[in-house]
Structures are given as structure tokens and as C-alpha cells.
Amino acid sequence: MLLPPYVFENRRDRVKASLPDGAVAIVAAHAEVVRSRDSDYPFRQSSDFWYLTGFTEPDAVLILQHGVPDRLVVRPNDPAAEVWTGRRLGPERVRSRLGIPDAHPLNALDALMDEALANADRVEYPFDCIRSTRLAEAAFQRVRGQGRKRQLLSHRVDLGLTLHRHRQVKSPEEIDLMRKAGQISARGHLAAMRQVEPGMTEDQLASIVEHSFRMDGSPSVAYQTIVGGGENACILHYVDRSDRLRSGDLVLIDAGCEWGGYAGDITRTFPVNGQFSGAQRELYDIVLAAQTAALADVRPGLSIRAYHETAIRVLTQGLLDLKILTGTLADAIETKAYLPYYMHGTGHLLGLDVHDVGFYEDNGSPIALQPGMVVTVEPGLYISQHSDAPARYRGIGIRIEDDVVVTTTGHEVLSGDVPKDPDAIEVLMKDRC
Ligand code: GLY
Ligand code: MN
Ligand code: MN
């Protein structure tokens, strides 16, 4: 656990402060998922549950109520099972390790849920969590009496509405973890720039990035690493990675590690042979200019939508300058003529989830950025082989992505340890051994 127990206690207290009297909050850990017969996917804790407990074992359940000690239900110690699948904390050590006062084994879960619901008049759980939803629904089914059951069913509330507002603004401790995620992620990209060679597969280059993450102590990637050479860079979430990298092509790497549960999310695009061609450089300069302009708009009071519009203006002007688009800037923006070449947003919230929870709009108006929000800034241009663009630009995909925390006066880039200036990239790649 990289944060002390009081941090999680404060978060639980904040959730309870938003619960009306008579409400119960239920937040479940994830369960393991089978990959193939007896083999499971690597376990990743539910972000909401992690945020409130710091506990990374599967199957546990957190129950919060006013006037009742916070309650955690966990897998029991079981020496025979632990020989096969690893150590378990067990209920006896929950208080000393996690600072949660009341712990029980899983076989007590149904009775504890029934007891919590017995006098409740409102039940809150994150509606986007399948296991929390199933546990709550199962408990409703056990309630005796149609009237009482209907009363509870009609007082279900999405805990995400408050919890995700809390998660949307990061505390100084969280920002420290995200700074480290940014640093480790950046080093992985640096390793790729230094070690890439024509003829290598995309997957081999991904393994260099991920090896660096792991050697720096990160237990996991935050999402599947994207490595796309040449036109594969035009596939936004390309995870196939089976092609060989060719001299003369660019390669796009979108990769981030996880640190303390928090995601890094960095994209860099660079030449496989260390030198940009003329056409690659022309497009790259436009994307970099768009990113620079968008970054300047990351400050309190502006919004993700505002810096998206800034990026669109710069990208669209660039497409006009290169004669990939024709007409006026105003028309091209109005008709969204840029969409075949730029089809995604310029940023998203970042945190325990790579596309983090939180709110982008309130009644149709964009939510203003505020200090502690962490966002990405990631414009790109994707000129498919099948596009109408001049032939020299076809088959080139470029994205540049950084992670940025909003500060009181502007922002701090968390992922700046890997170059994006094209001259700096060429120098770095020339000097590599
Ligand atoms: N890595 C996914 C994204 O940039 O949104
Ligand atoms: Mn991103
Ligand atoms: Mn990304």
C-alpha cells in the first residue's frame, strides 16, 4: 500500500458525509476472471474499491453506514487455498493493516448485508460496478415483504454520482503517485526511442517499453500498450502489434504504466530509423503545434472542450496549409472537414482509470478545469492510405500525448521526461548506442 490508512479513512468519511441518515453504501471489490480453465487474467482491483480501502485482494465488500464502524468483508484465511493461490490478509489483520475497524469473513456477507439493509431507507452503490449491483440486487431479493422490497428498490442511488466527483479532483498524495507514473512511463518511451531498430516487430518494441516499466517497479501497464508502425498508427487503439517496423516509417507508441493504481498515458511518435522524412515532419510539426496550443489552455476556468477546440483550430489550419483540406478555416471547422484525419477528443480525465471517472459536462455546459484535476492532452493526425490527401502524406499517423495536472496558476506536465520536439528526438536517436 503506497498511501497510509488514514488517507483511505478520510475518503470513506467523505463518502459517509454525503450519505443521508438511514443510507447504506456498498462497494465491492472485483472478482477474478478466468482466462483459460484454471488460469485467471492478472487481477486488477476495482478502482472505486481501491480508492476507499487500498485493499488489492479480490472478492471483498465494503459496507458504510452512519453510526456503524466501517465494515470490510474479506476472503478468510485458508492455509490449503493459500498454498495454491497466495497469501490472504484475512479478517484478523484488516484493522492493523488497513485501519478498517470491523472485518468479517466472506461467509458472513449475506447476513451482514441483510442486517445493514434491515433499517435502511436508501442503498447507494456504484451502478457501473457489476458485482456491487449484483450483491445489492441479491440482498433486495432476500428482503421479506413486497412493500418493504419496493421501498428499497425505489431508493437505490448511484454512489458514483458523489464518489466519482471526489475521484475527479486529486489530492497532493495522488498527484505524487501520478507524477511517478508519468516519470516511469516516460522512461519506457525513452527506452523505446533508444533501442528501436528496423526489422523489429511492434510487439518486440512494446516489450522494451514494458520491460522498462517493470524494472522501474511498476507492476502493470495501465492499458494494453499500443505500438503501430507506418499506417498501423492510424488505428487508434491498435493492439495487434504483429508487423515488423520498417526504416522510413514512423512508429506511434501509446503506453503508460500503473503506479499505486494510478495510470500514466503517454504517446510519442518517432522515426524508426531516427530521422523524419519531409512529409512526416510537416505533419508532425502541425500536431506538435496543436498540442502546444492546447496545453496553454489547460488552466483553471477553461475546460477539456475548450482545449479540444483549440487543437481542432490548429490541426485544421495545418491541413489547409498542406492542401489536405480546401476552403476556409471557418467552413472546415463548421463542417467538421477535419474528422477523417482527426476523429477523437483531445483529452480525458486520468487517474485510477486511464479514462478516469468524473464529469465532463453539467447540463450541457463543459465542466471547468480546477486545481487537482489530471487530464491528457493528445491531439493527432491520421492520414489513411485510402484518404484523399496528397499521396506523400498517406499512411502516416501521429499522436502526441502528455499527462497534465491543473494547478492554481496553470498546469504541470507529469510526463515531460521524454522528448517530443522533433529535433530533440533526432538528436537522442542519433546519439544512442
Ligand atoms: N491510451 C488511450 C488513450 O490515450 O486514450
Ligand atoms: Mn489518453
Ligand atoms: Mn494514450
Side-chain angles (χ1 to χ4, degrees):
M1 200 197 270
L2 292 172
L3 294 174
Y6 75 82
V7 169
F8 300 97
E9 185 180 354
N10 288 345
R11 293 173 180 173
R12 293 192 298 275
D13 286 347
R14 203 165 161 216
V15 166
K16 283 189 289 183
S18 70
L19 290 179
D21 283 339
V24 178
I26 295 159
V27 184
H30 279 331
E32 305 251 34
V33 180
V34 173
R35 179 177 183 274
S36 142
R37 279 178 60 85
D38 290 341
S39 163
D40 294 334
Y41 283 104
F43 181 72
R44 167 51 159 82
Q45 187 56 278
S46 141
S47 297
D48 282 341
F49 182 85
W50 198 341
Y51 182 78
L52 293 174
T53 64
F55 189 45
T56 52
E57 286 186 24
D59 298 338
V61 182
L62 176 70
I63 304 174
L64 301 177
Q65 276 175 289
H66 287 298
V68 177
D70 297 354
R71 186 168 269 183
L72 193 68
V73 187
V74 300
R75 298 183 305 179
N77 287 114
D78 178 343
E82 288 177 53
V83 166
W84 289 92
T85 54
R87 297 184 180 93
R88 299 176 175 186
L89 185 65
E92 284 75 29
R93 280 176 290 187
V94 164
R95 181 196 277 271
S96 61
R97 296 280 180 82
L98 304 177
I100 298 178
D102 190 23
H104 300 263
L106 268 175
N107 62 6
L109 178 62
D110 285 358
L112 290 165
M113 293 272 288
D114 295 350
E115 181 193 323
L117 260 57
N119 299 310
D121 48 26
R122 167 170 163 138
V123 183
E124 299 205 12
Y125 52 93
F127 282 6
D128 59 0
C129 171
I130 294 170
R131 186 156 176 264
S132 299
T133 305
R134 284 202 186 127
L135 289 172
E137 297 290 334
F140 294 140
Q141 291 315 315
R142 292 193 300 271
V143 169
R144 294 239 178 84
Q146 279 309 316
R148 172 78 183 130
K149 199 177 282 190
R150 284 175 68 174
Q151 182 193 14
L152 277 174
L153 285 171
S154 59
H155 290 87
R156 289 173 286 185
V157 172
D158 184 3
L159 185 66
L161 292 172
T162 46
L163 183 54
H164 296 170
R165 257 178 226 289
H166 300 170
R167 282 181 52 193
Q168 177 161 352
V169 179
K170 276 68 182 175
S171 65
E173 302 92 8
E174 290 179 288
I175 292 167
D176 284 346
L177 294 176
M178 295 194 72
R179 197 175 282 116
K180 178 103 175 176
Q183 288 162 351
I184 295 175
S185 301
R187 273 200 290 273
H189 284 261
L190 274 173
M193 285 182 188
R194 291 195 172 115
Q195 294 176 50
V196 66
E197 281 175 20
M200 206 176 242
T201 66
E202 295 163 332
D203 195 53
Q204 286 167 338
L205 190 56
S207 78
I208 289 171
V209 177
E210 294 181 9
H211 178 258
S212 172
F213 292 172
R214 300 274 269 279
M215 293 305 281
D216 274 338
S218 160
S220 173
V221 290
Y223 54 92
Q224 283 194 68
T225 297
I226 295 164
V227 178
E231 205 198 0
N232 291 340
C234 297
I235 302 168
L236 300 179
H237 287 172
Y238 172 79
V239 290
D240 190 32
R241 304 192 308 230
S242 53
D243 285 346
R244 287 193 187 276
L245 299 169
R246 294 181 312 195
S247 178
D249 279 350
L250 296 178
V251 58
L252 179 155
I253 301 181
D254 183 343
C257 79
E258 206 169 80
W259 183 258
Y262 290 84
D265 182 11
I266 301 181
T267 307
R268 290 291 184 268
T269 311
F270 53 92
V272 171
N273 64 13
Q275 274 216 302
F276 288 90
S277 73
Q280 291 165 352
R281 178 74 185 245
E282 288 165 41
L283 287 166
Y284 190 94
D285 285 344
I286 295 168
V287 177
L288 186 57
Q291 209 229 12
T292 305
L295 273 170
D297 282 351
V298 179
R299 56 178 190 267
L302 294 184
S303 64
I304 292 179
R305 192 193 290 175
Y307 72 75
H308 178 51
E309 286 169 1
T310 297
I312 284 174
R313 267 195 306 283
V314 178
L315 293 171
T316 307
Q317 183 59 58
L319 292 168
L320 290 165
D321 293 344
L322 298 188
K323 312 240 175 314
I324 295 172
L325 294 179
T326 54
T328 66
L329 179 63
D331 275 354
I333 290 174
E334 172 70 24
T335 60
K336 299 190 188 332
Y338 54 82
L339 271 183
Y341 309 107
Y342 185 49
M343 61 298 279
H344 60 76
T346 305
H348 53 81
L349 297 162
L350 185 70
L352 285 166
D353 294 298
V354 64
H355 290 175
D356 206 25
V357 293
F359 301 87
Y360 290 79
E361 289 188 349
D362 196 8
N363 277 327
S365 300
I367 292 213
L369 295 171
Q370 57 173 289
M373 286 185 178
V374 182
V375 295
T376 65
V377 180
E378 50 178 304
L381 284 176
Y382 312 92
I383 319 290
S384 128
Q385 285 293 2
H386 310 292
S387 78
D388 298 330
R392 63 197 302 261
Y393 300 121
R394 289 188 211 147
I396 299 176
I398 296 166
R399 179 163 64 254
I400 305 171
E401 175 174 27
D402 279 300
D403 306 339
V404 187
V405 57
V406 182
T407 62
T408 48
T409 52
H411 66 259
E412 174 194 341
V413 175
L414 303 175
S415 52
D417 290 351
V418 54
K420 57 189 172 187
D421 175 84
D423 293 328
I425 291 175
E426 287 187 348
V427 168
L428 182 143
M429 293 185 73
K430 198 156 171 237
D431 290 348
R432 69 207 154 129
C433 34

